[in-house]
Amino acid sequence: MSIQRQLIRYAKPFLFLCLVLFSLDVVFMAFHRHSYLKQFLDTFKTHRTKFADQKSAFKIVDGVDLRIIVLTFDRPESLARCLSSLNEAEYGGDKVIIDVWVDRAKGERETIHPETYRVAKKFTFRHGEVKVHNHSRHVGLHGQWLNTWDVQNSGKEIAIFIEDDTAVSRHFYKWLKAVHKKYARYPNVNGFSTQGVSIRHSGDPGYLTGPADHVCFLYPVLGTWGFSPNRQNWLKFIDWYTHASKDPNFQPHVPGILPSKWYSSFVKRGRTDRMWSIWHIYYAWKNTEYTLYPNLPGRQGLTINWKEKGLNYNKNKAKPDPLLQTWESRFVDLPDKPPVLDYTGAVVIP
Ligand SMILES: *[C@@H]1O[C@H](CO)[C@@H](O)[C@H](O)[C@H]1NC(C)=O
């Protein structure tokens, strides 16, 4: 026998043994691997749920700085002008989102105004995201104002409601950010109105004016030509409204003021859906809350309303109110105790 043959003869059982051992090892490894794999998958799974939890927490922490809620229905030109003013404004690099809420027509078909929707959809916002929301049914101004801000999950964001016939000053956000920072923790400040011109809600002639040496003032009635709620107050107000409005015998009546008269006439005509703000005015009166207004030179506003024909007005007014053009840092030199005006516009707490 050659050496070669002998080698093969002896090697055969050895190779066989190797093969057996190797197979055993493979089985063992596979078994082991399986538990490793299982362990690995488990860890992965827990990590994944942890990550998901973190993500939902982030949704609040990592939210936007400013949410602009634009309310529209069937005025495409107004909406276009409003959105373009938002493009011109300065946001200092903050995270901004625009929510455009399009209401549906009343009646059987409840259509979305196609041209208005188109204007919203084709708008490009240079400073952030735009979301266009069709309401699923006709909601009117009540639904537009009271159900479009998810205040429960709003985190630290500043929200401002703007109807489509409003335009903003380039500087509106600088002001808004400053007043929120200063007064967000004042329990009796229910929000911030950005308009510069307002009537006196007592019905007295002339416009509301704060004391000349003050850049802002507090007033018992909100202004709806740009309103940014104080979060805590808005939460409580919405909560109260949800219950109070269910009682058919309850009337949000504040004695002796113009809005109550308007409301009564709406009640007579069965059009109470026209005036959501009376609920806010009543709630503020009951709880001694005020809205902060700017008191800038020449009654310039951070927003203006074009007072067009629509739900709030019946005729066009020729001359628009003044919009703030030139920023001065003293506009946000905010006092610890802003003067308080009453419904007539008289200073009651200097
Ligand atoms: C909203 O309404 C418009 C106009 O009717 C329609 O074209 C669009 O698809 C709607 N969008 C959604 C998300 O329903």
Side-chain angles (χ1 to χ4, degrees):
M1 231 186 268
S2 71
I3 294 181
Q4 225 178 354
R5 274 198 159 186
Q6 270 188 9
L7 257 178
I8 292 171
R9 201 168 136 199
Y10 287 113
K12 256 190 194 161
F14 177 70
L15 279 173
F16 182 71
L17 192 70
C18 280
L19 193 71
V20 169
L21 281 175
F22 178 71
S23 322
L24 273 175
D25 196 44
V26 167
V27 171
F28 179 75
M29 282 275 288
F31 191 74
H32 220 77
R33 270 269 189 77
H34 176 70
S35 61
Y36 262 120
L37 198 67
K38 205 168 153 303
Q39 214 177 351
F40 173 74
L41 280 176
D42 283 350
T43 342
F44 177 69
K45 259 192 232 153
T46 48
H47 266 86
R48 208 176 45 177
T49 43
K50 253 193 210 155
F51 182 61
D53 286 344
Q54 264 168 10
K55 230 168 67 177
S56 63
F58 270 143
K59 238 166 109 183
I60 294 166
V61 180
D62 199 28
V64 298
D65 299 304
L66 173 67
R67 182 180 303 276
I68 304 166
I69 302 171
V70 177
L71 311 176
T72 191
F73 171 45
D74 65 350
R75 294 186 291 203
E77 291 86 13
S78 304
L79 178 63
R81 186 180 50 200
C82 170
L83 293 174
S84 116
S85 80
L86 289 169
N87 242 349
E88 299 310 313
E90 292 164 8
Y91 301 94
D94 277 8
K95 201 167 170 193
V96 189
I97 183 169
I98 297 180
D99 281 321
V100 182
W101 288 87
V102 192
D103 197 8
R104 280 182 190 274
K106 220 174 176 173
E108 238 163 71
R109 290 179 59 220
E110 299 212 328
T111 46
I112 291 276
H113 193 259
E115 186 56 20
T116 306
Y117 178 81
R118 209 179 61 83
V119 165
K121 207 64 191 167
K122 76 165 196 222
F123 172 66
T124 321
F125 186 39
R126 287 202 295 268
H127 309 274
E129 200 186 335
V130 185
K131 283 188 189 159
V132 184
H133 312 268
N134 291 349
H135 276 287
S136 55
R137 57 183 183 88
H138 169 76
V139 296
L141 284 175
H142 271 257
Q144 283 277 53
W145 278 82
L146 303 176
N147 293 318
T148 49
W149 187 31
D150 184 8
V151 59
Q152 290 284 352
N153 300 308
S154 61
K156 284 200 164 85
E157 73 187 23
I158 291 175
I160 182 168
F161 292 97
I162 288 174
E163 290 182 8
D164 60 6
D165 55 349
T166 302
V168 303
S169 153
R170 273 175 58 206
H171 309 291
F172 89 99
Y173 181 52
K174 252 178 287 182
W175 187 83
L176 204 57
K177 205 172 159 178
V179 292
H180 267 275
K181 190 167 174 224
K182 179 80 184 178
Y183 303 115
R185 287 195 189 81
Y186 282 47
N188 289 344
V189 177
N190 60 22
F192 310 94
S193 281
T194 43
Q195 69 198 62
V197 175
S198 169
I199 59 159
R200 300 161 193 258
H201 289 78
S202 56
D204 289 298
Y207 296 113
L208 209 55
T209 318
D213 53 343
H214 276 91
V215 290
C216 60
F217 59 84
L218 293 169
Y219 185 64
V221 179
L222 88 160
T224 56
W225 300 339
F227 178 68
S228 177
N230 216 346
R231 184 174 184 274
Q232 285 307 322
N233 304 65
W234 191 253
L235 259 174
K236 287 182 198 155
F237 162 63
I238 295 287
D239 204 41
W240 167 82
Y241 170 79
T242 310
H243 294 110
S245 62
K246 280 193 186 119
D247 177 358
N249 297 317
F250 179 77
Q251 294 277 327
H253 184 80
V254 182
I257 61 167
L258 217 46
S260 296
K261 288 187 191 136
W262 298 334
Y263 191 71
S264 303
S265 85
F266 282 133
V267 171
K268 279 191 203 116
R269 285 150 50 198
R271 296 305 312 268
T272 52
D273 58 324
R274 285 276 180 107
M275 226 185 124
W276 76 273
S277 58
I278 193 70
W279 295 89
H280 192 274
I281 295 168
Y282 177 89
Y283 181 84
W285 175 64
K286 270 283 168 201
N287 295 284
T288 330
E289 289 185 353
Y290 300 93
T291 296
L292 189 102
Y293 283 72
N295 191 38
L296 306 183
R299 281 193 207 93
Q300 293 177 93
L302 283 318
T303 52
I304 53 158
N305 183 279
W306 296 92
K307 297 174 194 156
E308 281 161 334
K309 197 171 157 58
L311 284 178
N312 294 322
Y313 296 93
N314 290 323
K315 51 178 183 280
N316 289 324
K317 191 189 151 195
K319 197 166 160 280
D321 296 328
L323 194 58
L324 178 69
Q325 303 296 332
T326 312
W327 180 257
E328 292 177 43
S329 59
R330 69 178 182 93
F331 294 162
V332 288
D333 234 340
L334 301 163
D336 289 341
K337 290 184 177 156
V340 181
L341 278 53
D342 67 9
Y343 293 114
T344 72
V347 178
V348 285
I349 307 170

